[in-house]
Structure formats: C-alpha cells, structure tokens
C-alpha cells in the first residue's frame, strides 16, 4: 500500500472521531497495540533527541529494499503517535519516504492538539525516519 493510501486511511479513521478526547483515546489505543522493541535496541543511537518523552526508533532495510521501522516510547500518547508514523512509513522504499509529504499529521489536527514539546518531538521523529531513509538510499546507491 502506498504512503498516501495509508495516510488517507488514517484520515478516514479519524473523521469518525470528532471529539479530541476520543482521538487521544484512539491514539493511546494504537500505542497499546505497538509491539515493544527489544531492550537491546533501546540505545542512545536509537533515542530521538528533542522529545519530551523517551522515544527509540530503529530501522533496517529488508530484502525487498524497504525500510522496516521498530519503535517504542515510555509515554502512551507518544507511543500511539509513533505507531501512526510506523504504519505510514514502515515497509516503504527509502525514496518513497523521502518524496512523501506527511499530510495526515495536519489533516487529523494532530500537530495543533499537541503541546509544543510533543509537537517538537513529532518533528524530531519524522526527521529521524527521513534520515534513515536517506542513509539507506545512499547505501543502495540510488
């Protein structure tokens, strides 16, 4: 499924949740469904700088040339946000990640309903995921 198709799917899911308390509850629920990453991946190299909470993102390139992201956080709301980002960007080609515009974030009103520090953390998570994509694209020689 393409990045835009997944984003459209997320937007559609959130359209049914008009109250922001329901949206927060849904995001927390998504975080609860996120598989925890191995403790061995909770390293300083995988820790995202600029987040209010502790967030770890790990990436590897699979045999199909797609990036597989794993992530975890010590805060449930952040874990849910990470789950959304993983849903959109994991199992995508590096160039597709780099070429994508993550419009679902603004479209569901996420950025405007986060505290400034959480919003900065969201930007930092997206930036790190794009950096992984750039590194893998460079490695592949594309």
């Amino acid at each position: 499924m393409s990045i835009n198709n997944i984003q459209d799917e997320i937007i559609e899911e959130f359209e049914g949740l008009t109250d922001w308390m329901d949206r927060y509850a849904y995001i927390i629920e998504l975080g609860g469904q996120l598989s925890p990453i191995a403790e061995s991946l909770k390293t300083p190299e995988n820790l995202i700088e600029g987040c209010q909470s502790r967030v770890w993102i790990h990436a590897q390139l699979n045999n199909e040339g797609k990036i597989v992201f794993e992530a975890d956080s010590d805060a449930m709301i952040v874990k849910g946000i990470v789950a959304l980002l993983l849903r959109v960007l994991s199992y995508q080609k590096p160039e597709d990640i780099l070429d994508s515009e993550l419009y679902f974030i603004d479209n569901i009103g996420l950025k405007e309903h986060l505290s400034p520090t959480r919003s900065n953390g969201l930007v930092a998570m997206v930036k790190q995921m794009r950096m992984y994509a750039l590194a893998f694209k460079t490695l592949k020689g594309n």
Side-chain angles (χ1 to χ4, degrees):
M1 204 176 211
S2 77
I3 289 174
N4 286 351
N5 287 345
I6 297 167
Q7 290 188 92
D8 293 342
E9 198 175 81
I10 290 170
I11 290 166
E12 195 173 305
E13 288 168 16
F14 274 81
E15 282 175 353
L17 306 168
T18 53
D19 178 70
W20 257 95
M21 291 314 290
D22 292 340
R23 288 182 178 209
Y24 283 130
Y26 182 60
I27 291 169
I28 291 169
E29 181 184 319
L30 292 173
Q33 296 170 5
L34 187 65
S35 300
I37 64 172
E39 287 299 315
S40 61
L41 295 177
K42 292 184 178 180
T43 62
E45 297 82 30
N46 291 333
L47 191 64
I48 305 300
E49 297 292 326
C51 287
Q52 178 180 345
S53 310
R54 294 181 352 141
V55 180
W56 299 269
I57 298 178
H58 176 261
Q60 57 189 23
L61 203 60
N62 71 10
N63 293 339
E64 298 170 6
K66 295 179 179 182
I67 301 176
V68 179
F69 289 102
E70 295 177 86
D72 204 352
S73 176
D74 59 2
M76 286 309 290
I77 189 83
V78 176
K79 202 170 180 174
I81 293 166
V82 168
L84 286 170
L85 291 174
L86 262 60
R87 183 171 158 193
V88 172
L89 298 177
S90 207
Y91 297 97
Q92 300 292 339
K93 292 180 179 175
E95 50 275 12
D96 292 340
I97 293 171
L98 292 169
D99 293 341
S100 69
E101 179 193 336
L102 297 181
Y103 57 83
F104 85 96
I105 295 169
D106 288 332
N107 210 301
I108 65 173
L110 186 57
K111 217 170 185 179
E112 68 194 55
H113 285 89
L114 293 176
S115 67
T117 51
R118 282 235 164 39
S119 189
N120 289 342
L122 172 60
V123 170
M125 288 184 270
V126 171
K127 181 179 176 186
Q128 182 59 48
M129 293 173 93
R130 288 189 186 277
M131 291 303 287
Y132 276 123
L134 182 61
F136 286 124
K137 181 179 178 185
T138 303
L139 262 175
K140 284 177 32 179
N142 292 341

